Amino acid sequence: MKPVTRSLADAAEKHLDDVYRYVLYLTRDPQAAEDLAAETFERAVRLWHRFDPARGSERTWLCQIARTAALDHLRAEERRRRRENEYAGRAVEEPERLVEPLSPWLREALGTLSAAEREVIALRVILDLDPTSAGRVLGITPTACTTRLSRALEKLERNARSARVA
Amino acid sequence: MSPETTIDERFDEIVSALRAEMPPTPAALHARVVAATATPSAPPRFTARRILRFAVPAVAGLSVAVALVVGLDTAIRPPSQENTALARDSAPAPETLVTPASGESGAAQDRAARTLAPTQSKSQSAPAAPAPSGSRAQDYNATIVLLVDGTEELSGTTQRALRTTRRLGGYLVSVNYTTPEPGAGTAAVRVRIPVSRVQAAIVEFSELGRILSQNTQISDLQQPLDEVTRRIRRLERNTARARGAERERLLAQIASLRRERTEINRRAAFATVSLDLTTHAPVEPAPAQGRLGRALDDAVGILLAELVIAAYVLIVASPFLVLLVAAFVGSRAYRHHADQRLLEQA
């Protein structure tokens, strides 16, 4: 039986690192990741009464909220970029972002992956979620989750080898 | 690392590298989250689940309460006079129609109409039909409907009716005998009986089966008969004084009136009796219910009506519900696909 944290404050203390790492891998933007992690727990405060331990762990539930917040952020960014490009009449250069606190070769290798590939790596490797829980966060089956992870790791390993050589 | 989270060992090196570089959580973020989660927010008072949890039993309870109130109201209210009269009458009352001739005395009319023929079972004494007048010509018509048991008895009873008719000096006008299915049938027998014996005939016919209904209609023929007789006498007096063609014409008129008088006398001499035999028992009216029975009936009726209305609403609304569900599922699938595309391009 999964242990249940008594309050959301305890859950936040326990899972803040995981949520932050997940959204960092998803967005590759430390500032955005910080904001999204804070927003995740603000949403969790409002939705805590709907958390059902029988349906999954707190960490899985928090990751689902974080993913929703990240997707809202990505959609908003996409709309902003489109408006700016339309206004400028050309593709506008993205401003420099803070770099993730990772080794250069890993940062470069991760940069070649899509957000979908990075998030499955974050959930399965960094957060060490099982395929079922990760699949629940991503909205796919455990088998599809495992397949996606294999492809993402293959691509990462190949690009990491190239980045190291470079 | 638990067995179910084990990743393909081909990727051990890259996995180890990734896990070795876990980015730390910024202290500022930690402070923000601690502040945000320090005060738990009160759960909303009204949620869809809570509303459903109370609404469904409330609606069900209200439906039952309405049914009980209606039932109690019926139990408290005294039964209507119409229902009481219906409960008392267990069989239709026979009809007797007497058509008096103009000029006949009120006493004679009363005598003709006074005697009624009640409906009785076979075992009881024969009913008394109105007696024909002995001093006046009348057109006497009687109809009796009898219940017999099966087609064999139907056939036997029809034969007995015909024998009775002949024995009493009457004759058969028509008979229509049908047995559309095994064990069931009808016979319509129409006979003419000398009017002086019609009461005896009715008594004997009534004993052939169980009386379901009886009808007697009497029309006075004396007045038209007297009128015809007066016209004949007047014409005969005129004929005595007439000559030639005028006399011939009067004689022809007299002959015609005499034929008319004969016809009236023939009608008055024989009564027409229609005997309808059937094997189909009449539907017995339901016995009167007590207060509790009526109350339960009304309460159950209300509940059934509510169920019918609910089923009707569900049937009418179900296509829209299906469309709504399909739209919801479709929009979720589209949203999932759109999110996946966004993540692949990001």
Side-chain angles (χ1 to χ4, degrees):
Chain A
M1 193 173 158
K2 297 187 180 102
V4 176
T5 313
R6 277 192 216 145
S7 69
L8 180 58
D10 294 337
E13 191 64 46
K14 199 172 166 186
H15 302 299
L16 174 57
D17 293 343
D18 287 337
V19 170
Y20 172 70
R21 286 163 191 163
Y22 171 52
V23 290
L24 180 63
Y25 265 74
L26 197 53
T27 60
R28 292 195 65 225
D29 183 345
Q31 189 58 51
E34 205 174 312
D35 292 337
L36 287 172
E39 190 181 332
T40 297
F41 286 97
E42 286 165 10
R43 291 188 185 189
V45 166
R46 290 195 299 275
L47 300 172
W48 183 240
H49 66 279
R50 279 159 58 165
F51 169 63
D52 184 2
R55 294 173 67 178
S57 68
E58 294 156 348
R59 189 164 61 153
T60 307
W61 184 69
L62 288 168
C63 286
Q64 284 174 310
I65 297 174
R67 188 171 191 264
T68 306
L71 284 169
D72 290 342
H73 166 77
L74 289 173
R75 274 187 227 109
E77 284 294 298
E78 179 66 27
R79 285 194 297 268
R80 180 188 63 74
R81 264 197 298 275
R82 214 178 298 132
R83 274 198 307 271
E84 285 175 357
N85 292 343
E86 271 176 34
Y87 184 71
R90 56 177 172 81
V92 174
E93 225 177 271
E94 287 293 307
E96 265 194 41
R97 297 183 300 190
L98 291 174
V99 294
E100 312 102 291
L102 299 170
S103 303
W105 67 268
L106 187 56
R107 201 183 313 131
E108 191 181 325
L110 283 172
T112 63
L113 301 182
S114 67
E117 289 162 336
R118 290 196 303 271
E119 73 166 337
V120 71
I121 288 175
L123 291 172
R124 290 282 282 118
V125 176
I126 306 300
L127 271 58
D128 198 23
L129 287 180
D130 59 88
T132 305
S133 301
R136 190 171 291 132
V137 174
L138 300 174
I140 57 177
T141 62
T143 309
C145 180
T146 303
T147 305
R148 198 180 283 187
L149 175 67
S150 296
R151 287 188 191 140
L153 286 175
E154 269 176 23
K155 191 174 174 183
L156 180 65
E157 197 173 50
R158 196 169 52 244
N159 295 336
R161 221 175 281 130
S162 309
R164 273 182 179 161
V165 166
Chain B
M1 191 164 47
S2 54
E4 59 261 25
T5 65
T6 306
I7 299 168
D8 193 339
E9 57 192 26
R10 287 187 291 149
F11 305 112
D12 280 351
E13 194 183 327
I14 189 67
V15 165
S16 301
L18 284 166
R19 284 181 177 154
E21 299 201 31
M22 296 281 212
T25 305
L29 172 61
H30 187 265
R32 274 172 77 180
V33 169
V34 166
T37 57
T39 314
S41 73
R45 197 175 283 181
F46 298 109
T47 61
R49 197 181 289 180
R50 195 173 285 181
I51 289 170
L52 274 175
R53 204 187 299 163
F54 288 108
V56 170
V59 167
L62 189 66
S63 305
V64 172
V66 165
L68 282 174
V69 164
V70 169
L72 278 171
D73 179 60
T74 306
I76 291 167
R77 231 182 323 122
S80 65
Q81 289 184 355
E82 185 185 325
N83 289 343
T84 310
L86 275 174
R88 241 187 275 123
D89 298 340
S90 59
E95 297 171 24
T96 299
L97 176 65
V98 177
T99 309
S102 58
E104 184 167 350
S105 66
Q109 291 180 31
D110 288 345
R111 268 202 305 279
R114 199 178 301 134
T115 310
L116 296 177
T119 301
Q120 294 181 349
S121 66
K122 198 174 175 177
S123 59
Q124 294 178 334
S125 57
S133 170
S135 57
R136 294 183 68 83
Q138 289 176 324
D139 186 9
Y140 196 106
N141 287 276
T143 304
I144 307 170
V145 181
L146 296 177
L147 175 68
V148 297
D149 187 18
T151 49
E152 279 190 22
E153 197 175 317
L154 180 71
S155 170
T157 304
T158 306
Q159 297 298 325
R160 281 197 292 278
L162 295 176
R163 284 197 294 272
T164 302
T165 300
R166 284 191 282 273
R167 182 165 44 78
L168 293 174
Y171 60 92
L172 173 69
V173 175
S174 66
V175 61
N176 186 0
Y177 183 93
T178 60
T179 54
E181 53 192 55
T186 58
V189 182
R190 199 153 177 262
V191 298
R192 299 267 285 166
I193 304 283
V195 70
S196 58
R197 295 181 178 173
V198 68
Q199 273 197 307
I202 289 172
V203 167
E204 289 196 43
F205 287 156
S206 301
E207 288 171 356
L208 295 175
R210 182 181 148 205
I211 301 172
L212 297 180
S213 71
Q214 186 173 333
N215 179 295
T216 306
Q217 189 167 359
I218 304 172
S219 304
D220 188 79
L221 296 174
Q222 191 63 49
Q223 192 267 341
L225 186 63
D226 290 345
E227 178 60 29
V228 166
T229 304
R230 276 196 293 276
R231 285 176 67 191
I232 290 171
R233 286 184 188 151
R234 192 165 56 245
L235 287 171
E236 282 172 346
R237 283 198 298 274
N238 293 344
T239 303
R241 291 193 293 272
R243 295 287 181 271
E246 176 66 15
R247 182 186 160 82
E248 294 301 320
R249 188 181 64 78
L250 290 171
L251 286 171
Q253 278 185 350
I254 290 167
S256 172
L257 287 171
R258 280 178 179 156
R259 283 195 295 275
E260 190 179 327
R261 186 173 60 181
T262 305
E263 182 55 36
I264 294 172
N265 282 327
R266 190 178 297 136
R267 275 174 64 193
F270 281 83
T272 304
V273 179
S274 299
L275 185 62
D276 294 324
L277 307 173
T278 179
T279 58
H280 303 293
V283 176
E284 297 289 338
Q289 288 179 323
R291 284 190 175 187
L292 182 63
R294 288 200 310 278
L296 277 172
D297 255 359
D298 284 354
V300 169
I302 294 288
L303 281 174
L304 283 174
E306 287 167 352
L307 280 172
V308 165
I309 290 170
Y312 179 75
V313 168
L314 203 64
I315 289 167
V316 169
S318 59
F320 300 102
L321 286 173
V322 166
L323 283 173
L324 217 64
V325 168
F328 177 72
V329 169
S331 73
R332 279 191 69 171
Y334 174 78
R335 184 70 172 255
H336 178 77
H337 177 72
D339 289 345
Q340 197 56 37
R341 223 174 44 207
L342 181 66
L343 289 169
E344 282 166 8
Q345 289 166 2

